[in-house]
Amino acid sequence: MQTPVRSVIRRPFSALREFLESQAAGGLVLMATAALALIIANSPLAPTYFSALKAYIGPLNVLHWINDALMAVFFLLVGLEIKREMIEGQLSTWSRRVLPGIAALGGMAVPALVFLWFNASNPDTVNGWAIPSATDIAFALGVLSLLGSRVPMSLRVFLTALAIIDDLGAVVIIALFYTGDLSALALLGAAVVLAVLVAMNRFGVTRLLPYLLAGAVLWVLVLLSGVHATIAGVLLALTIPLRHRKARPDDLGHSPLLKLEHALAPWVTFAIIPIFGFANAGVSFAGLTLDVFSDALTLGVALGLTVGKLVGVFGSAWLVIRLGWADTPMGATMSQVFGIALLCGIGFTMSLFIGLLAFAQQPLLQEQVKIGILAGSLISGLLGWLVLYFAPREIPAPQEH
């Protein structure tokens, strides 16, 4: 009797999925570098730390190189994963796409309303309404990585998709409300380069070098346009081909997209994200008193992150699922979705960036914003970790024999 041969399709392992599913190594490195930054910022080394971040290398200072250039690479990696998930993964159906999209919108709107509840009557602080609207994907994923297999992959993809939409929304807010001068010429140039990238994809170009070279030009033009440069990484990712044009639909062995993912993942996990955390987590507590926590600006930011994000993200997700517009992420419970909504209150990067723009000439208000962001992010991260650690997990249905 001849044994039937079954063809087994082995899909190449996603680089970002490997990062997300890895043990706590990447997250621990991130947390350690952030803690180290806080220690140094409140030690005799503080002047050296802040001076080094302000030192110029070419046209940008060190902090801008980290936040605008290195993080564009991180967003490139995340964008690659989002594209693959949207084409054939957890986001490949409308019900899977709509959930993170609407949750992200709720997670941007409600924190802004919470902030305005405290600051609407104060013309000096009302301009900071968008500060608590952003989620820091690097820190949120860092906390999530500490939970290992307790969190299903679908929730990790959900958080990644939500944070990307959230950050892109923050970029739009910055462009519309916090950008003084937009360069029409640079924007036009970026649009032309993006069109070239799309054309290369359409005409079946599968070599990565042309995409990366054009992507570097795109980054420069986006930076010069006045729009936050990290959006260039996402735009580039969307144009990278998932497979060769003549390849079979199930043949991803030579996928340009996955090849780039595998090349970027270790650098992003153990270099770019920790460097970013070290550069942005340093906040000085010199002269801090408890009165700062009763200030409307600090409360608006902190409660916008802890309460606003939770209500906006979880409330929107619950409503969408309740109305039948989307399904609960595969293998996840609503308690776990609640925990993810708490993690969305971690708002370091973009929140700090918006705060600096909103109060560019008011350093005292900037310090209050930083304290609010730090307090809100720490509370959200801790509560989110606790909920996800103890949340009941979905029990797999027994298989029929």
Side-chain angles (χ1 to χ4, degrees):
M1 179 177 173
Q2 185 177 4
T3 303
V5 178
R6 292 189 298 176
S7 61
V8 179
I9 301 172
R10 295 194 64 183
R11 298 164 62 89
F13 200 68
S14 159
L16 183 58
R17 190 171 298 231
E18 185 176 11
F19 159 60
L20 294 176
E21 287 188 331
S22 67
Q23 296 179 348
L28 287 175
V29 172
L30 174 62
M31 299 305 159
T33 53
L36 180 62
L38 282 171
I39 293 171
I40 291 177
N42 293 277
S43 75
L45 294 175
T48 303
Y49 170 79
F50 290 112
S51 297
L53 292 176
K54 295 176 182 178
Y56 273 80
I57 301 176
L60 302 175
N61 63 32
V62 172
L63 187 60
H64 280 138
W65 278 117
I66 293 170
N67 290 345
D68 293 347
L70 288 184
M71 287 307 288
V73 178
F74 173 75
F75 276 96
L76 169 60
L77 179 60
V78 173
L80 294 171
E81 177 69 11
I82 293 299
K83 176 177 179 177
R84 194 170 80 86
E85 292 293 343
M86 290 189 69
I87 292 177
E88 55 187 27
Q90 293 293 331
L91 301 175
S92 59
T93 64
W94 172 250
S95 63
R96 297 293 179 184
R97 295 173 187 169
V98 71
L99 183 61
I102 294 182
L105 292 176
M108 288 185 283
V110 178
L113 293 176
V114 171
F115 181 92
L116 290 174
W117 177 269
F118 290 94
N119 294 273
S121 60
N122 188 344
D124 293 330
T125 60
V126 69
N127 196 41
W129 62 271
I131 294 172
S133 294
T135 295
D136 191 304
I137 186 171
F139 278 87
L141 289 177
V143 174
L144 203 58
S145 71
L146 298 174
L147 294 159
S149 60
R150 290 180 176 273
V151 179
M153 176 55 60
S154 62
L155 273 184
R156 299 166 189 246
V157 174
F158 168 68
L159 175 60
T160 305
L162 187 154
I164 282 291
I165 298 169
D166 184 293
D167 276 342
L168 291 178
V171 169
V172 173
I173 290 173
I174 291 170
L176 294 178
F177 299 100
Y178 297 107
T179 300
D181 296 312
L182 283 175
S183 171
L185 184 61
L187 285 173
L188 178 61
V192 171
V193 174
L194 181 60
V196 171
L197 285 164
V198 172
M200 288 195 297
N201 182 298
R202 293 292 184 182
F203 285 105
V205 177
T206 54
R207 291 185 59 199
L208 285 172
L209 184 58
Y211 288 98
L212 297 179
L213 292 175
V217 176
L218 177 65
W219 176 83
V220 172
L221 290 170
V222 172
L223 178 66
L224 295 175
S225 72
V227 178
H228 201 265
T230 51
I231 194 174
V234 178
L235 294 175
L236 173 60
L238 297 179
T239 66
I240 303 294
L242 178 61
R243 59 175 65 87
H244 283 273
R245 194 176 186 182
K246 296 181 180 179
R248 301 189 312 273
D250 58 1
D251 182 13
L252 295 176
H254 301 286
S255 166
L257 185 149
L258 290 176
K259 182 179 179 181
L260 185 57
E261 274 189 310
H262 281 285
L264 293 177
W267 291 98
V268 169
T269 304
F270 296 107
I272 291 177
I273 294 180
I275 290 172
F276 163 77
F278 180 77
N280 288 277
V283 178
S284 176
F285 299 140
L288 177 66
T289 64
L290 293 178
D291 292 340
V292 71
F293 293 104
S294 61
D295 184 86
L297 177 58
T298 307
L299 281 175
V301 172
L303 293 180
L305 289 171
T306 54
V307 178
K309 275 291 185 182
L310 173 62
V311 174
V313 172
F314 183 75
S316 299
W318 178 85
L319 182 61
V320 167
I321 294 170
R322 181 81 172 182
L323 292 174
W325 295 354
D327 303 321
T328 305
M330 187 180 302
T333 64
M334 287 306 294
S335 296
Q336 291 175 316
V337 175
F338 186 88
I340 292 294
L342 279 167
L343 288 187
C344 289
I346 302 175
F348 271 100
T349 320
M350 200 64 75
S351 294
L352 286 170
F353 186 70
I354 294 175
L356 294 175
L357 292 176
F359 306 115
Q361 307 301 324
Q362 299 165 289
L364 181 59
L365 296 183
Q366 288 181 10
E367 290 303 310
Q368 293 177 7
V369 166
K370 291 180 181 180
I371 297 301
I373 292 172
L374 181 62
S377 297
L378 286 175
I379 293 171
S380 296
L382 179 60
L383 292 180
W385 183 88
L386 287 172
V387 169
L388 289 169
Y389 187 87
F390 291 105
R393 288 178 274 179
E394 185 176 89
I395 301 176
Q399 296 182 352
E400 297 183 3
H401 296 283

